[in-house]
């Protein structure tokens, strides 16, 4: 048995169908009385229902959460929270809304509760990504970790099937990179494998029957595990590539993860045989990269960066940015390999699965990508 360090989580999790009815008790348990409910403009109806469930414990709804957590929205929300003397935040939504709650928490110290409605997993991580102008920064701040997460499967029923598929693949990307993370945490490995099993079983059912409650429960369970892995261990090449593509070309978050994952796995395969074996246990096939590519196709997810709006001329710049900052990856990351990976992903071609027998040492650059 290898020695290890395991980073446990302190977030309380309540999981089930109809669990939003328990939210008021969870607010009481934190000793809070004046909750500010957060949501994106398209989710006002869900937030209003949560507001009503809270009775006198809720003071207002702030419905301006936006992708990539723009600093100006967060500062406006902070002022609003202060003017209302809010004593806690309740995020009803996906990663954008939970990100807004984290940004407010980072500036005010207010505790946050979350009711996730997508599979992005941000609710289980201490990671805060923010944008100012065209620049995006990402930090790990233990103080923004949510106090309580109430997973209510019913809140995900309205998430459209196409968006659910790519969001589920976004969750799978967290689990996949946890399997070969630098800090080999056996608990994270177990959770990541279980997450892949749950998502592999549930996402194709959701694509056919979006209102299938057991499948929705399976996907949310898998997303919880994947988000927990993202919070516990550092990510690698796949997340770095997606971060660069999102920040530089404004590509949509979950769709970018869906397209890039098989190609990043193809690159890392020779250096991570145990991870590859676990992926193919969840998704049987000739190799992990091909399995993931075909699975995304079954879900009807986009398969090329071209269809997401990335210009072909951007491949060189992206490859440069991906290798510019050092970060840990199980296999060395050379610019020519990244360029080749991006070219294949841009065109939507099948991933190139490197032979498992190739002997490789990890990249030694130190920091891991969040
Ligand atoms: P999102 O929160 O932007 O939601 C996408 C769209 O779907 C929005 O219009 C939203 O209103 C709508 N929507 C969400 N749930 C719905 C539902 N149940 N029914 C109907 N509509 C619904 O998307 P996301 O993919 O969840 O989050 C992406 C953002 O989260 C990115 O900015 C990403 O960087 C961030 N993120 C952060 C972390 C982290 O740990 N910090 C992890 C993952 C993602």
């Amino acid at each position: 048995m290898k020695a290890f360090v395991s980073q446990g989580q302190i977030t309380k999790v309540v999981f089930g169908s109809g669990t939003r009815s328990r939210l008021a008790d969870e607010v009481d348990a934190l000793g809070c009385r004046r909750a500010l409910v957060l949501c994106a403009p398209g989710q006002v109806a869900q937030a209003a229902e949560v507001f009503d469930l809270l009775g006198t414990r809720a003071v207002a709804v702030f419905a301006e959460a936006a992708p990539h957590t723009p600093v100006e929205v967060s500062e406006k929300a902070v002022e609003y929270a202060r003017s209302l003397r809010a004593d806690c935040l309740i995020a009803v939504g996906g990663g954008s809304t939970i990100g807004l709650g984290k940004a407010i928490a980072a500036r005010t110290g207010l505790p946050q509760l979350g009711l996730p409605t997508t599979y992005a997993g941000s609710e289980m991580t201490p990671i805060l990504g923010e944008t100012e102008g065209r620049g995006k920064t990402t930090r790990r701040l233990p103080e923004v970790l949510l106090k309580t997460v109430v997973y209510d499967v019913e809140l995900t029923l309205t998430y459209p099937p196409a968006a659910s598929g790519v969001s589920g693949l976004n969750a799978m990307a967290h689990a996949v990179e946890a399997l070969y993370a630098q800090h080999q945490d056996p608990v994270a490995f177990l959770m990541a494998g279980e997450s892949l099993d749950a998502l592999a079983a549930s996402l194709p059912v959701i694509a056919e029957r979006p209102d299938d409650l057991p499948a929705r429960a399976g996907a949310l369970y898998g997303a919880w595990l994947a988000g927990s892995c993202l919070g516990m261990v550092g990510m690698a090449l796949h997340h770095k590539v997606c971060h660069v593509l999102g920040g530089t070309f404004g590509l949509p978050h979950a769709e970018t993860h869906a397209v890039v994952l098989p190609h990043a796995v193809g690159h890392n395969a020779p250096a991570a045989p145990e991870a590859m074996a676990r992926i193919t246990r969840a998704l049987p096939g000739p190799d992990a990269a091909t399995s993931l590519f075909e699975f995304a196709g079954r879900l009807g997810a986009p398969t090329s960066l071209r269809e997401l709006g990335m210009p072909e001329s951007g491949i060189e710049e992206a490859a440069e940015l991906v290798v510019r900052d050092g970060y840990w990856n199980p296999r060395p990351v050379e610019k020519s390999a990244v360029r080749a990976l991006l070219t294949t992903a841009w065109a939507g071609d099948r991933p190139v699965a490197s032979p498992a027998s190739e002997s490789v040492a990890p990249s030694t650059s130190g920091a891991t990508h969040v």
Side-chain angles (χ1 to χ4, degrees), residues 33-114:
R33 290 181 164 62
R34 299 180 63 79
L36 175 60
V37 179
L38 310 171
C39 69
Q43 290 180 273
V44 172
Q46 280 180 327
E49 193 204 330
V50 167
F51 181 90
D52 291 344
L53 282 170
L54 289 168
T56 56
R57 298 170 191 82
V59 289
V61 174
F62 182 85
E64 297 179 36
H68 306 302
T69 326
V71 166
E72 57 275 18
V73 175
S74 304
E75 285 172 352
K76 184 177 172 190
V78 165
E79 263 185 46
Y80 191 50
R82 287 197 172 124
S83 73
L84 294 164
R85 289 178 293 110
D87 63 4
C88 71
L89 308 162
I90 298 184
V92 184
S96 298
T97 305
I98 289 158
L100 170 63
K102 288 178 176 177
I104 303 171
R107 290 164 174 78
T108 60
L110 289 177
Q112 185 183 186
L113 300 87

Side-chain angles (χ1 to χ4, degrees), residues 6 20 84 115 231 260 274 293 333 348 365-366:
S6 184
R20 61 195 181 285
L84 294 164
L115 290 95
V260 172
E274 281 179 39
F293 184 76
V333 180
S365 332

Side-chain angles (χ1 to χ4, degrees), residues 40 42-43 46 67-69 93-97 102 117-122 125 127-129 136 155-160 167 170 174 230 253-254:
Q43 290 180 273
Q46 280 180 327
H68 306 302
T69 326
S96 298
T97 305
K102 288 178 176 177
T117 64
T118 74
Y119 308 129
S122 176
T125 84
I127 303 166
L128 170 62
K136 179 160 183 175
L155 292 179
T156 63
L157 291 172
T158 50
Y159 201 34
S167 190
N170 183 193
H174 307 328
L230 177 65
H253 178 82

